[in-house]
Amino acid sequence: MDTQAQAPNPAQLDSQTVAERLDVDPDRGLSASEAQNRLERDGPNVLRVDPPTPAWRLLLSQLQDPLVYLLLAAVFVTLLLWLAEGAVGWPIDAVVILVIVVLNALLGFMQEVRSQRAAAALARLTAVTSEVLRDGVRLRVSSADLVRGDLLLLSEGDRVGADARLLQANALRVQEASLTGESEAVLKDAATLKEPVPLAERRNMVFKGTAVVQGTGMALVTATGMATEMGRIAHLLATTPEQATPLQKEVRQIGVMLGRAVLLIALVVVLTVLMMTEVRSLADVEGVLLLGVSLAVAAVPEGLPAILSLVLAIGVQRMAKRQAIVKKLSSVETLGSASVICTDKTGTLTRSEMAIEKVLTASGCSCPEGVGYEPVGDIRHQGEILAPGPLHSELVLMLSGGSLAGNADLRQKADGSWVIQGDPTEAAFLVAEHKLGVHERRRERFERIAEIPFTSERKRMSVLAIDHEHDDQRVIIVKGAPDVLLQRCSQARVGMDVVPMSDAILARAQADVDKLSDAALRTLSVAYRPLGADEEAQAGETLEQDLIFVGTVGIIDPPRAEVASAIQEAQRAGIRIIMITGDHPRTAARIASDLGIIEAGGSALTGPQLDALDDAGLAEAVRTTSVYARVDPSHKLRIVDALQAQGHVVAMTGDGVNDAPALKSADIGVAMGITGTEVTKEAGKMILADDNFATIVAAVREGRGILDNIRKFLRYLLSSNMGEVLTVFLAVLGARWIGLTDQVGNVVLPLLATQILWINLITDSGPALAMGIDPQTDDVMGRRPRRPDERIIDARMWSGVMQIGLMMALATLFTLDLFLPGGMIEGAQSLETARTAAFTVLVFAQLFNAFNARSETGSAWRGLWANRWLWATVGLGVMLQVAVVHLAFLNLAFGTQSLDAWQWLQCVAIASSVLLYSECRKWLARRMDGNQGR
């Protein structure tokens, strides 16, 4: 039994009770022997990792597809017939198909080999050391050796090694964004909670994997390993099934459908030929069976899996150039089909860098410009750069005082980027002070000599400093909650003057606070007071009286500059944006409103409210709600699952550990490459190398273009293969009408098995692959996402495939009738010449079809020269066909005869009828679509 799982919530127990339950002395900690016993009993403080899937099994899984089964069956039957014929030469057709299958499996294996490392990355993330008290002695031990009851000692810069209940907290702030989504560092205290609260509000707990950014603390370890909050996420990640992509499902359905159709067509053709032909020997039976197998191979686009993988791989390379790294090939198409993007706020829509947005002082409002921690940007007042004067004087005092009453540090790295050490909120003052250009002067002027730390009870922080410009006079600077500071202020700073705190000034200051709070900004005020000579020996809170009020700042984690336009583009494409965050509801709603996700004044649905909803209530909520706040990982999973149940293709973005299960469950998980944890990167199917939300939109555009290209080459392959099948099938049924019989009336095969395989070789893979990289010609972001129930090969495409296939067959049969004696048109050529002409017509008809298949309704003449690779593959196909017709050794191998110029002209003209018919069909379709539009 897992004893840790049975413990009550320590956040709701007082510290003495927690210590008693854990059987530990809070003054000395555990003894070394007891710690060892508990380590042996509960196991190491690590996350369980399932053994990785063996490489051979991962490779074998790439073959588990109905289309691959069909191809392997064709290989098997072809080899049997080859053996029955005496195993002469090489079974080229079987070898080619087998090579395609193997290469496709290897490509898929190489792309997916890293997907099994998510849990291992989670374990690596938490491999840290921790300082503990054992036997009354401070020790630093491996995080893996922490046990329940250990007395954990925390200080700035530490990574918390286990879940623990705080006993003491001295200005302790912990960054929990990776676990809860809370953008601000959380101020901790040891007070007992009276009732259950969400994870982000458990102020008396610290959690495994989070980071201490300020202060010190002492805590009792209450959970280790898989019993921690991070362990719970690891369990969710391990038990969350990975969904097959829509493209994978579609290709499987195509494989099953083609398998059934192939067996039926081959069986009908073989039986029909046997019934209409006098069988004289076993060789005749083998010939008919070989035709059936060849026809089956012709009906199956054996290059489809490999072409599909190659097209997706090329798309992946194009996306990588746009900073979107796709790990799973089939995810490219999924992103293009996304109808909902569920995005985290902190670090994804916002910069995860606190910044002062507004400064309100007696003389007005100042607005620092610029984003991030780079100290570059102007300070503006009413749109103009702030000029010297009363407001400037107040702002200098405001930002310098706020920076002095803080412990953050701003540094520039070797690569030129700027980073902070300490609390992000305090860093916001420091960055704004740099922008004002007074940082160096403040450092030279003031010398800090003492500090009264921030606590949740005091809600303020004070520092004592020496002012070297005023005869080393001592001064106290206080920064804290506006309501607390205003109660302690008897005067106010107005320009360069200090005036009494009148009712009007107080009302104005309180109105400023309300204005900033209504804008979902975090508010902090600054006040100060020079100390008299008789006060210099005093210390503590007695000095925090009769302060001079300076003003209030509004702080926010600002949105990324490019996100708003990216969201507009996504919405134009019919994609709904949903924000899911662990942050405060009001802050979430403010950011969502600024970015255009919701209307101004909209609200967020919270985690506790989600808990109160049943499945029906949740289903209704996700239809109408686009902002969720104060949620935990299980809530994110419920939201994603509910959206998928409503038929949406869901993309989920995130960077924190808490996002990993939802990323894995979503149709496509998008991890942040810079701020994202290794866990998130491994759980997602795509990684944004630049953490730029706009990159998602670019990836969606690329995905939609790839989906269009997939439809192009599917249209081409299926219509071309259908042409081959119908040619043989209709020729057998109508043999007597076209003169396709021998002297005794037996049906003669219209094409030889080797000719059918040759057609597949030169016309399938090359043009199809070229269409897979066709440039985008339509506004792919100007249409709605593809519905999950909308087939890639829909009824309209099937109709076109059947029509073009039938047209190819009729053109080929017309050629046979034209060249052969007898039939409806009297010809005078030999069977070999007629077969060669029909063979050539079918090849050229498919090459013409390559241009036709680029669009369902658009003319082949539009953008005719845009795809040079298509022209290259068509040109190669023409040269190879000329070679098989005119080279003697190929004549012998493929049963062909040389054609004269007139016969070539006839073949090209007849083959072009496929393109002519297609142009007429598309013109009519455009007219009908236009009429419907009107």
Side-chain angles (χ1 to χ4, degrees):
M1 178 182 296
D2 188 351
T3 56
Q4 298 189 59
Q6 306 303 316
N9 185 355
Q12 294 176 251
L13 302 176
D14 64 76
S15 57
Q16 185 60 38
T17 302
V18 173
E20 292 174 357
R21 286 179 176 271
L22 293 171
D23 192 19
V24 58
D25 181 351
D27 295 322
R28 292 183 54 82
L30 296 173
S31 66
S33 59
E34 179 60 21
Q36 182 61 34
N37 290 338
R38 297 188 183 192
L39 183 63
E40 293 173 357
R41 182 189 67 195
D42 294 337
N45 177 34
V46 296
L47 304 179
R48 285 195 299 269
V49 179
D50 293 331
T53 304
W56 65 269
R57 185 174 294 174
L58 196 60
L59 180 60
L60 192 62
S61 68
Q62 307 302 316
L63 303 176
Q64 296 173 0
D65 184 274
L67 190 56
V68 174
Y69 299 154
L70 190 59
L71 294 176
L72 292 177
V75 170
F76 178 72
V77 176
T78 304
L79 286 175
L80 286 181
L81 291 175
W82 175 69
L83 292 172
E85 291 179 334
V88 178
W90 284 89
I92 300 299
D93 47 340
V95 171
V96 169
I97 297 173
L98 193 60
V99 167
I100 288 174
V101 169
V102 171
L103 288 177
N104 180 65
L106 288 174
L107 186 58
F109 169 77
M110 292 172 63
Q111 287 292 327
E112 298 179 21
V113 71
R114 295 176 56 200
S115 63
Q116 58 181 291
R117 299 188 300 182
L122 191 55
R124 288 197 302 271
L125 178 68
T126 57
V128 296
T129 61
S130 301
E131 189 173 18
V132 297
L133 191 68
R134 289 181 180 172
D135 290 319
V137 178
R138 300 168 72 104
L139 302 172
R140 183 158 287 276
V141 300
S142 168
S143 170
D145 294 333
L146 290 177
V147 298
R148 288 193 307 142
D150 258 329
L151 200 58
L152 198 59
L153 306 177
L154 302 170
S155 58
E156 185 174 318
D158 281 351
R159 178 76 65 173
V160 180
D163 289 6
R165 169 68 161 85
L166 284 167
L167 303 181
Q168 299 175 16
N170 301 313
L172 181 66
R173 290 180 181 269
V174 180
Q175 181 56 261
E176 297 179 343
S178 66
L179 186 65
T180 66
E182 175 70 63
S183 58
E184 298 178 8
V186 179
L187 178 66
K188 297 291 184 175
D189 63 60
T192 304
L193 299 179
K194 303 301 182 184
E195 56 186 22
V197 295
L199 186 67
E201 297 177 11
R202 296 177 196 170
R203 299 292 193 253
N204 60 356
M205 296 288 297
V206 289
F207 302 104
K208 184 179 179 72
T210 59
V212 178
V213 298
Q214 180 181 309
T216 60
M218 180 182 295
L220 278 174
V221 174
T222 57
T224 59
M226 294 299 290
T228 62
E229 292 297 328
M230 188 167 286
R232 186 166 66 91
I233 295 176
H235 177 72
L236 282 174
L237 188 59
T239 57
T240 300
E242 229 178 313
Q243 302 292 326
T245 68
L247 182 60
Q248 289 174 317
K249 297 174 184 176
E250 184 86 9
V251 171
R252 288 172 188 169
Q253 291 170 348
I254 292 173
V256 172
M257 179 198 65
L258 285 177
R260 294 170 180 169
V262 162
L263 292 176
L264 179 62
I265 292 172
L267 183 62
V268 169
V269 169
V270 168
L271 291 177
T272 302
V273 173
L274 289 175
M275 287 188 297
M276 299 179 65
T277 304
E278 183 181 345
V279 178
R280 300 186 181 91
S281 65
L282 180 61
D284 292 340
V285 176
E286 290 179 356
V288 175
L289 290 177
L290 182 59
L291 175 68
V293 171
S294 301
L295 193 59
V297 173
V300 178
E302 68 272 7
L304 175 57
I307 293 171
L308 187 60
S309 294
L310 286 170
V311 168
L312 292 175
I314 292 169
V316 164
Q317 294 303 315
R318 286 206 296 255
M319 284 188 172
K321 294 178 181 179
R322 292 173 174 257
Q323 304 301 313
I325 301 169
V326 178
K327 295 165 50 184
K328 193 175 182 66
L329 287 180
S330 54
S331 300
V332 176
E333 178 272 335
T334 310
L335 188 61
S337 302
S339 57
V340 174
I341 298 178
C342 294
T343 174
D344 187 28
K345 179 185 75 70
T346 306
T348 306
L349 299 178
T350 65
R351 299 182 59 89
S352 193
E353 298 172 344
M354 304 303 291
I356 293 178
E357 184 174 280
K358 292 183 178 180
V359 185
L360 296 179
T361 56
S363 299
C365 176
S366 305
C367 300
E369 291 186 326
V371 294
Y373 291 135
E374 184 178 8
V376 175
D378 295 322
I379 310 289
R380 292 185 177 269
H381 171 62
Q382 297 180 348
E384 301 293 332
I385 295 177
L386 184 64
L391 182 58
H392 187 277
S393 300
E394 295 164 2
L395 189 62
V396 170
L397 189 56
M398 184 75 193
L399 297 181
S400 294
S403 298
L404 189 60
N407 297 303
D409 187 23
L410 179 67
R411 298 175 182 175
Q412 187 173 23
K413 297 169 63 177
D415 61 2
S417 62
W418 291 81
V419 295
I420 64 146
Q421 183 175 358
D423 182 77
T425 302
E426 295 184 348
F429 277 93
L430 196 58
V431 172
E433 183 189 34
H434 274 274
K435 292 177 181 178
L436 192 59
V438 295
H439 173 70
E440 292 301 327
R441 181 188 172 190
R442 188 263 300 170
R443 290 186 60 188
E444 294 172 358
R445 176 177 175 178
F446 293 98
E447 178 186 348
R448 280 179 48 163
I449 56 176
E451 175 184 325
I452 308 174
F454 189 102
T455 67
S456 58
E457 293 81 14
R458 286 169 36 78
K459 295 184 179 179
R460 62 188 184 277
M461 173 187 181
S462 299
V463 294
L464 294 176
I466 298 174
D467 185 351
H468 292 302
E469 288 189 5
H470 286 76
D471 300 323
D472 290 344
Q473 182 182 31
R474 281 163 172 72
V475 62
I476 183 170
I477 302 98
V478 188
K479 178 178 67 182
D483 57 334
V484 173
L485 259 64
L486 284 171
Q487 293 176 4
R488 294 173 173 267
C489 292
S490 59
Q491 302 176 86
R493 181 68 177 254
V494 179
M496 297 297 293
D497 301 321
V498 176
V499 300
M501 177 67 78
S502 65
D503 292 340
I505 294 176
L506 179 61
R508 165 74 181 274
Q510 291 173 335
D512 287 344
V513 173
D514 293 339
K515 184 187 302 182
L516 295 174
S517 298
D518 290 342
L521 299 174
R522 183 185 180 191
T523 56
L524 283 175
S525 294
V526 173
Y528 75 103
R529 181 169 70 89
L531 301 180
D534 57 334
E535 294 179 298
E536 294 183 358
Q538 300 179 24
E541 298 185 10
T542 57
L543 298 177
E544 300 172 332
Q545 302 292 337
D546 296 322
L547 300 173
I548 302 169
F549 183 77
V550 181
T552 304
V553 299
I555 303 176
I556 198 169
D557 179 11
R560 294 177 178 271
E562 65 281 352
V563 166
S565 59
I567 287 176
Q568 289 179 0
E569 179 76 352
Q571 291 170 339
R572 187 176 75 87
I575 301 171
R576 181 183 173 197
I577 308 298
I578 295 179
M579 178 197 291
I580 308 176
T581 179
D583 217 334
H584 192 281
R586 191 166 60 183
T587 304
R590 155 71 193 277
I591 294 295
S593 175
D594 287 350
L595 294 175
I597 297 175
I598 60 173
E599 297 292 333
S603 61
L605 195 64
T606 65
Q609 291 171 327
L610 285 173
D611 288 332
L613 296 176
D614 57 15
D615 290 342
L618 178 65
E620 180 59 31
V622 298
R623 286 190 183 95
T624 58
T625 304
S626 295
V627 181
Y628 300 85
R630 284 288 189 256
V631 297
D632 62 28
S634 62
H635 294 135
K636 294 185 179 184
L637 275 177
R638 285 190 70 197
I639 294 169
V640 169
D641 291 343
L643 288 166
Q644 290 173 325
Q646 293 176 7
H648 290 289
V649 176
V650 181
M652 173 73 190
T653 74
D655 59 351
V657 176
N658 59 324
D659 297 321
L663 259 63
K664 187 176 179 182
S665 179
D667 295 286
I668 178 166
V670 184
M672 301 297 111
I674 299 175
T675 59
T677 63
E678 286 300 315
V679 185
T680 316
K681 295 173 189 176
E682 294 296 339
K685 296 184 179 74
M686 189 174 91
I687 300 171
L688 299 183
D690 58 358
D691 282 15
N692 192 334
F693 189 87
T695 302
I696 301 176
V697 178
V700 168
R701 184 183 298 109
E702 189 70 40
R704 289 190 173 190
I706 290 171
L707 177 59
D708 279 0
N709 289 346
I710 289 172
R711 288 173 59 88
K712 291 176 186 178
F713 73 69
L714 282 174
R715 185 184 300 117
Y716 170 74
L717 287 175
L718 293 176
S719 59
S720 297
N721 288 16
M722 189 61 66
E724 298 168 31
V725 171
L726 290 176
T727 294
V728 177
F729 184 65
L730 295 178
V732 170
L733 293 181
R736 289 180 174 82
W737 284 279
I738 60 176
L740 200 59
T741 56
D742 60 14
Q743 295 177 350
V744 296
N746 290 329
V747 173
V748 178
L749 299 178
L751 297 170
L752 300 177
T754 52
Q755 292 173 346
I756 293 176
L757 294 173
W758 173 261
I759 294 173
N760 276 10
L761 179 65
I762 71 168
T763 65
D764 272 13
S765 300
L769 183 58
M771 275 184 278
I773 56 175
D774 208 37
Q776 292 181 18
T777 55
D778 300 326
D779 180 15
V780 294
M781 298 298 282
R783 59 177 184 244
R784 307 290 299 177
R786 185 174 70 91
R787 299 189 311 272
D789 60 348
E790 180 183 343
R791 306 293 293 272
I792 292 179
I793 309 176
D794 54 18
R796 185 173 189 172
M797 185 187 288
W798 275 121
S799 174
V801 164
M802 295 299 295
Q803 290 181 52
I804 297 301
L806 179 60
M807 191 63 196
M808 287 183 189
L810 292 176
T812 307
L813 296 179
F814 174 78
T815 305
L816 284 169
D817 193 14
L818 180 66
F819 277 70
L820 286 172
M824 292 183 289
I825 304 174
E826 186 63 36
Q829 303 298 327
S830 67
L831 176 62
E832 289 74 16
T833 301
R835 271 184 181 156
T836 302
F839 174 35
T840 301
V841 165
L842 190 52
V843 168
F844 275 52
Q846 293 192 13
L847 295 178
F848 277 119
N849 187 40
F851 297 99
N852 156 64
R854 293 179 66 219
S855 175
E856 184 78 57
T857 57
S859 172
W861 306 108
R862 188 180 66 182
L864 182 63
W865 304 100
N867 191 339
R868 67 179 186 273
W869 292 108
L870 182 58
W871 278 100
T873 56
V874 168
L876 178 62
V878 170
M879 289 189 294
L880 290 174
Q881 184 62 21
V882 170
V884 84
V885 170
H886 288 287
L887 295 182
F889 73 96
L890 291 178
N891 291 156
L892 182 62
F894 291 94
T896 55
Q897 293 283 339
S898 295
L899 301 176
D900 59 32
W902 170 243
Q903 290 169 336
W904 270 106
L905 185 60
Q906 287 178 300
C907 290
V908 173
I910 295 171
S912 66
S913 64
V914 173
L915 184 58
L916 179 62
Y917 171 78
S918 176
E919 285 296 298
C920 293
R921 187 180 68 86
K922 290 180 180 180
W923 177 82
L924 183 60
R926 290 194 297 270
R927 290 293 299 269
M928 293 179 64
D929 289 346
N931 290 335
Q932 291 173 1
R934 289 192 294 270

